Structure formats: C-alpha cells, structure tokens
Amino acid sequence: MKLYILSKDKAYDCVACEIISLVTQYPDATLGLATGDTPIEIYKRMVEDHKQNHTSYQQIQTINLDEYVGLANDHPNSYRNYMHEHLFKHVDIDLEYTYFPSLESGFLKWMSQSIIHLQLLGIGNNGHIGFNEPGGSFESSVHEAVLTYETIQQNRKYFSSQVIMPKKAVTLGIKDIMKAQKIILVATGKHKASILKKMLEEPISNRLPASILKKHEHVTIYADFEAASLLDLSHSSYIKKEGFYEICN
Ligand code: PGA
C-alpha cells in the first residue's frame, strides 16, 4: 500500500492525473467511480483536461459504487444525477455504459463479467467504503444496505428539508471492490484524520470496512496534510520512500 501526503490541491491533481493517464492508455477501461464531497475536485480536473486536451471517454465504461433506493435517476439527490452534473454531461461519455449498482439480473450479469481497472474511493467517517457499513461481511457482493445513523447524519446535508432521505442504498460489496485491479482512496480534511489513522494503524476488522484494503496488492492512498495529521509516521510500518510511504502490515 502506498501513501502520498500532499496539499489538498496536489492530491486532487495527482488522482485526476492517474485516472486521465489510464483513460489515455486504455480508452476502453472500466472506471469505478465514487460520489460525495471528495471526488468533486477530481472530476473538475478531468473535465478541464477533456476540454483542453480532448481526452476521450467515448469507449469508457463506468460503474459507481452505490445508489440510493427509491430515488428516480433524475432526482437531484440520486448519485446518477450527481455524476451527470459533475462529470458525465461535460465529457463525451456514452451514458449507456455508465452503470449504477442494482439488483436487476442484467446488471448482476454485467458485474460478474466485468473487471474494474481503477476504483476510486472516499472513506466515510465511520470507515465505510461505498455503503459497506461497519459490521458487514468482507465477502459481500452487490447488495442492498441499510444506512447507519452516522452515514445518514453525514449525508443529510445534501437533502433539502422537503426531501426524505432514503435509508437504504444498493452498493457494490467489499468483494467487488477488492476485485478491482487498482484502488485509489482519497482522504482530505481534518474530519478524516481519525478514521484514516484507525484504518491504517488498527488491525483489519469488519467494524472498519476500509481496513480490508490493506490486503489488496495495488492500493494508493492520497491524503492531504490534515487527514494525515494523526498518523504515527515514525512507526516501522511506514517506510519512507522517494515522495511517498510504503505501508507494511
Ligand atoms: P465524502 O464521503 O467524500 O463526502 O467525505 C466519503 C464517503 O462517505 O465514502
């Protein structure tokens, strides 16, 4: 596992750069995408690059980590709508190949046959990845998840007072995420410092779903100075390399 500790802007630049180089090198790659506050600046950079350098998404397939149950695709709070607003409508992607988790057999078949080349992840304040909440199985595949109180509190801010926030979502499971060829987790801001420390410095446990990523062979974490501020970087599990840390468990 590699850990880069950078300024927030530099972290977003690097992640966007990694995605753009994958798309350039493999124009028909499958990208695993995330929603929330963290990826917004990354998508902005991808859109800028598309405008300036014409990086094409025409043959790219995308699969998002999760989608709320009970919201229409064009509902302002659906994750499809989020992706449309922040990325899809600004680039030349074919919307037919932009997938969101569902329990329909067509989707499950597509999922079983697909390889995610690069999975982008944020981390929830409770350690969730996608909507894989604490206590869930590491063996889970696509499933309907009941959101925890903490997740509802974290995400309520996106919903206007007139809209009842869904309490359930369909999410890729931990097993689906772990099958991705490469994973990038981004943690920025002071509010992510404590969960990032627990994820990296405590034993792997399903009480902290993101901790399982320590078992994946190709994970890169981009943290800003604030999110990394509580890490015990003098511990022997952090090996200092040129520009990053290799984390050994
Ligand atoms: P955030 O959410 O990017 O809004 O912090 C991350 C997550 O809950 O996975």
Side-chain angles (χ1 to χ4, degrees):
M1 192 177 248
K2 281 182 179 170
L3 167 67
Y4 287 86
I5 303 174
L6 303 164
S7 71
K8 199 169 284 186
D9 273 341
K10 190 86 187 121
Y12 296 141
D13 286 349
C14 289
V15 177
C17 220
E18 283 217 37
I19 299 174
I20 292 162
S21 27
L22 179 84
V23 170
T24 308
Q25 220 182 334
Y26 303 101
D28 58 353
T30 298
L31 301 179
L33 299 178
T35 51
D37 284 341
T38 313
I40 291 176
E41 286 296 320
I42 297 165
Y43 297 146
K44 248 189 215 163
R45 284 156 171 77
M46 289 164 66
V47 170
E48 255 163 50
D49 162 76
H50 172 72
K51 287 191 179 135
Q52 279 176 15
N53 306 318
H54 312 292
T55 303
S56 177
Y57 293 80
Q58 254 168 11
Q59 296 176 64
I60 291 289
Q61 302 194 76
T62 62
I63 165 68
N64 263 80
L65 280 169
D66 38 31
E67 181 57 287
Y68 287 114
V69 169
L71 297 187
N73 280 346
D74 60 353
H75 189 285
N77 289 112
S78 76
Y79 284 149
R80 180 171 281 285
N81 189 64
Y82 167 108
M83 288 308 302
H84 201 68
E85 291 303 317
H86 292 291
L87 182 66
F88 295 162
K89 77 175 183 190
H90 306 287
V91 297
D92 60 347
I93 200 159
D94 184 344
L95 291 179
E96 204 178 318
Y97 297 101
T98 57
Y99 297 93
F100 287 75
S102 99
L103 299 177
E104 284 167 21
S105 58
F107 172 77
L108 296 174
K109 186 164 174 224
W110 176 85
M111 194 63 209
S112 68
Q113 293 168 346
S114 301
I115 294 168
I116 298 174
H117 297 97
L118 176 61
Q119 176 66 59
L120 178 63
L121 293 177
I123 181 170
N125 296 339
N126 64 0
H128 74 199
I129 45 176
F131 277 134
N132 292 282
E133 300 284 40
S137 163
F138 283 149
E139 290 304 311
S140 65
S141 47
V142 179
H143 63 282
E144 191 171 279
V146 177
L147 308 184
T148 58
Y149 176 77
E150 208 167 355
T151 297
I152 291 169
Q153 293 310 309
Q154 188 184 326
N155 287 6
R156 195 181 281 288
K157 64 179 183 209
Y158 302 114
F159 289 79
S160 78
S161 54
Q162 282 85 33
V163 180
I164 298 172
M165 184 185 163
K167 308 289 181 294
K168 286 181 184 170
V170 182
T171 181
L172 297 194
I174 295 285
K175 210 159 79 179
D176 302 313
I177 294 171
M178 291 295 279
K179 271 197 249 163
Q181 286 184 344
K182 176 167 182 170
I183 295 176
I184 294 180
L185 183 140
V186 190
T188 52
K190 223 189 191 140
H191 62 300
K192 295 294 167 77
S194 151
I195 197 66
L196 187 66
K197 182 178 177 68
K198 284 187 189 155
M199 174 200 163
L200 295 179
E201 297 179 4
E202 290 184 8
I204 296 173
S205 153
N206 70 343
R207 300 307 312 162
L208 205 164
S211 64
I212 191 66
L213 297 176
K214 288 190 274 197
K215 286 210 164 158
H216 192 286
E217 293 202 345
H218 299 288
V219 176
T220 304
I221 297 174
Y222 286 93
D224 70 349
F225 297 119
E226 287 183 342
S229 59
L230 297 178
L231 300 179
D232 180 10
L233 296 169
S234 59
H235 191 273
S236 59
S237 58
Y238 294 96
I239 302 168
K240 200 161 171 39
K241 304 271 183 174
E242 195 104 337
F244 66 94
Y245 291 88
E246 189 79 54
I247 306 177
C248 303
N249 294 289

